[in-house]
Amino acid sequence: MRGVPRSLFARIAAILALGLLLAYALALWSVLRERGELSRSMMLGYLGRDVAASVAMLDRLPRDERAAWLPRLARANYRYALTPAPAGPAADSALVKEIADALGAELGPGRLLRVAQADGQLAFDLRLADGSPLALTLQPPRLMVSATTAGLLLLQLALLGACIAWAVRQTTQPLAQLAHAADALGRNPEAPPLAEHGPTEARRAAAAFNTMQRRIASHLAERLQILAAVSHDLQTPITRLRMRTETMADTALRGKLQADLAEMQALVEEGLAYARSAHAAAEPAQPVDLHALLDSLVCDYTDAGREVLLSGAHPRPLTTRPQALRRVVGNLVDNALKFAGAAELIVRSDARSVHISVCDRGPGIAPDQLAAVLQPFYRIEASRNRDTGGAGLGLAIASQLTQALGGRLHLLARAGGGLEARLSLPAQ
């Protein structure tokens, strides 16, 4: 939904802030309403007596002295004039009726002739005892908040807002740390454990996560140790079998057996490489000139007579694990050369990521198998099978190393045929 905050911190803070604002608005409205009613009752009682006293004083003053007393009789929100009230539409409201009733009760009958409204004010047409006109112009009371009160309300809102932000941050920070630790666990099972501090619930969640992390790390270490041990131990019998095939008289049979042994040897070596890739996160990260690293890799392939091109560049140093990055790109280039005979490296970057694409024009991969080929020992029998020398670990090793680099590996079908292996790394 548009307009809805995406983070839990923003949502909880927005809900609490909205509730706080509504509560303050309701409280302020209630206070102003009560103050208005009190002011109205006090005004009605005071206004009638004060106007009656002023009119009685003017009744007893000579005509030529009345004008001099008008400024003394004026108040903050009403004043007098020795003229008829200005013409205007008749004012008809509950407040006007209450004021008129209060004036009529204090002045007596025949003194209040009419009530008009002019320029947002109420004009009362009065008559003195000798019949002279007297206009009373009254500014109706308005419900207003003083600058001091407004400042105190804003200060209270600011303090409560800060307390809300602090409380919500204390609540959501363990979740953010848990999410960060889970993301780091996907890249490196040996990542540092999550700190077990904060409220009881946060400590229990952190302890459960750390227990899960230790179990996963132990399971992966055991699996990789078994794979490495089996791959390493297989090298000895393979070597003995290769030596024994050298003494065979049947040339054709010897060639077939040696080809099978070479395939087994390649599978063992890739198994060892896959086991070693799990420890890539232990390599320290350092600033690297990405163009120089990729250019040296391309030059190695070019010197070996392979067709590999490099285009694009990243202008700034990239903080990464250079040996792991070189192995990832090397595996992807080897994969492209194996099935297409040529490869092209394209480097693009933006504010957040650096993208290294290894493109080829080989047979490609079906869209429904793009994710599966990243799994260990998965082979596409239609084109990329053991006859081409693959053991199903090249892309799996690249995917494992990419996780250690904190990046993502995507396989995309190219328009016109071929495959694009896009390695996306964080720019910072």
Side-chain angles (χ1 to χ4, degrees):
M1 295 177 62
R2 294 184 178 180
V4 177
R6 300 185 63 180
S7 67
L8 182 61
F9 172 83
R11 290 188 180 186
I12 296 179
I15 292 173
L16 293 178
L18 180 60
L20 178 64
L21 290 176
L22 292 177
Y24 258 79
L26 182 61
L28 181 61
W29 174 81
S30 177
V31 170
L32 291 178
R33 182 173 178 273
E34 184 177 355
R35 181 186 296 179
E37 293 178 353
L38 180 61
S39 299
R40 176 184 297 184
S41 62
M42 293 178 62
M43 180 195 69
L44 292 176
Y46 168 79
L47 178 64
R49 292 190 297 270
D50 187 66
V51 171
S54 299
V55 170
M57 184 180 295
L58 292 174
D59 284 339
R60 289 168 173 78
L61 289 173
R63 287 178 178 267
D64 56 352
E65 296 181 8
R66 290 173 179 173
W69 280 87
L70 294 183
R72 302 178 184 180
L73 299 176
R75 300 294 183 263
N77 61 330
Y78 60 90
R79 62 186 182 276
Y80 300 93
L82 296 173
T83 59
D92 185 15
S93 66
L95 178 61
V96 172
K97 187 177 183 304
E98 291 178 359
I99 295 176
D101 291 343
L103 292 177
E106 294 291 340
L107 293 175
R111 291 297 187 98
L112 177 59
L113 302 183
R114 66 185 181 91
V115 183
Q117 189 171 7
D119 299 330
Q121 296 179 337
L122 298 177
F124 296 86
D125 196 359
L126 307 178
R127 286 293 181 270
L128 297 177
D130 59 1
S132 299
L134 179 66
L136 172 62
T137 304
L138 172 66
Q139 178 68 47
R142 297 178 179 178
L143 297 179
M144 299 180 62
V145 179
S146 65
T148 303
T149 302
L152 289 176
L153 288 176
L154 292 177
L155 179 60
Q156 290 178 6
L157 288 174
L159 291 176
L160 289 175
C163 291
I164 288 175
W166 179 78
V168 175
R169 176 65 66 185
Q170 292 295 315
T171 303
T172 58
Q173 188 176 16
L175 293 178
Q177 293 175 346
L178 185 62
H180 179 73
D183 184 62
L185 176 62
R187 297 191 302 267
N188 179 20
E190 300 294 337
L194 192 62
E196 299 179 12
H197 60 75
T200 303
E201 294 79 4
R203 292 198 303 269
R204 290 179 61 185
F209 179 84
N210 290 335
T211 301
M212 179 190 68
Q213 180 179 1
R214 288 192 296 268
R215 291 174 180 173
I216 292 176
S218 176
H219 172 71
L220 291 178
E222 181 181 1
R223 188 186 68 174
L224 292 174
Q225 185 177 5
I226 292 174
L227 176 61
V230 171
S231 300
H232 181 271
D233 291 344
L234 282 176
Q235 288 184 339
T236 301
I238 290 174
T239 302
R240 287 200 304 265
L241 288 174
R242 182 180 291 111
M243 294 178 60
R244 291 173 181 175
T245 57
E246 296 293 337
T247 61
M248 295 181 61
D250 191 336
T251 306
L253 181 58
R254 183 175 65 228
K256 293 179 181 180
L257 289 176
Q258 289 180 347
D260 291 338
L261 291 173
E263 184 177 340
M264 293 175 62
Q265 182 67 34
L267 180 60
V268 168
E269 292 175 355
E270 291 193 15
L272 290 173
Y274 180 73
R276 287 194 300 268
S277 66
H279 303 285
E283 180 187 356
Q286 56 183 305
V288 175
D289 186 338
L290 182 61
H291 180 76
L293 187 148
L294 296 179
D295 185 64
S296 65
L297 184 64
V298 170
C299 289
D300 291 342
Y301 283 102
T302 303
D303 293 340
R306 311 307 298 268
E307 185 179 348
V308 180
L309 301 177
L310 174 63
S311 61
H314 180 60
R316 298 178 301 276
L318 177 66
T319 301
T320 185
R321 297 177 172 90
Q323 296 301 324
L325 177 58
R326 188 179 180 91
R327 289 182 61 193
V328 173
V329 178
N331 278 13
L332 296 177
V333 172
D334 289 340
N335 192 70
L337 292 175
K338 185 185 303 181
F339 302 106
E344 180 182 5
L345 271 69
I346 303 175
V347 181
R348 299 184 301 272
S349 63
D350 51 41
R352 301 180 60 182
S353 302
V354 178
H355 306 283
I356 305 172
S357 297
V358 179
C359 306
D360 64 57
R361 287 297 181 185
I365 299 176
D368 59 343
Q369 294 181 315
L370 290 175
V373 295
L374 297 177
Q375 302 300 318
F377 302 105
Y378 185 89
R379 293 180 299 275
I380 302 177
E381 297 299 331
S383 59
R384 303 187 178 195
N385 51 31
R386 289 192 178 185
D387 293 337
T388 60
L393 285 174
L395 292 176
I397 293 174
S399 177
Q400 183 89 8
L401 293 172
T402 300
Q403 293 181 9
L405 294 174
R408 301 182 306 275
L409 178 62
H410 299 286
L411 301 181
L412 306 171
R414 300 186 67 189
L419 182 69
E420 176 186 355
R422 182 180 301 171
L423 173 62
S424 299
L425 302 175
Q428 297 180 352

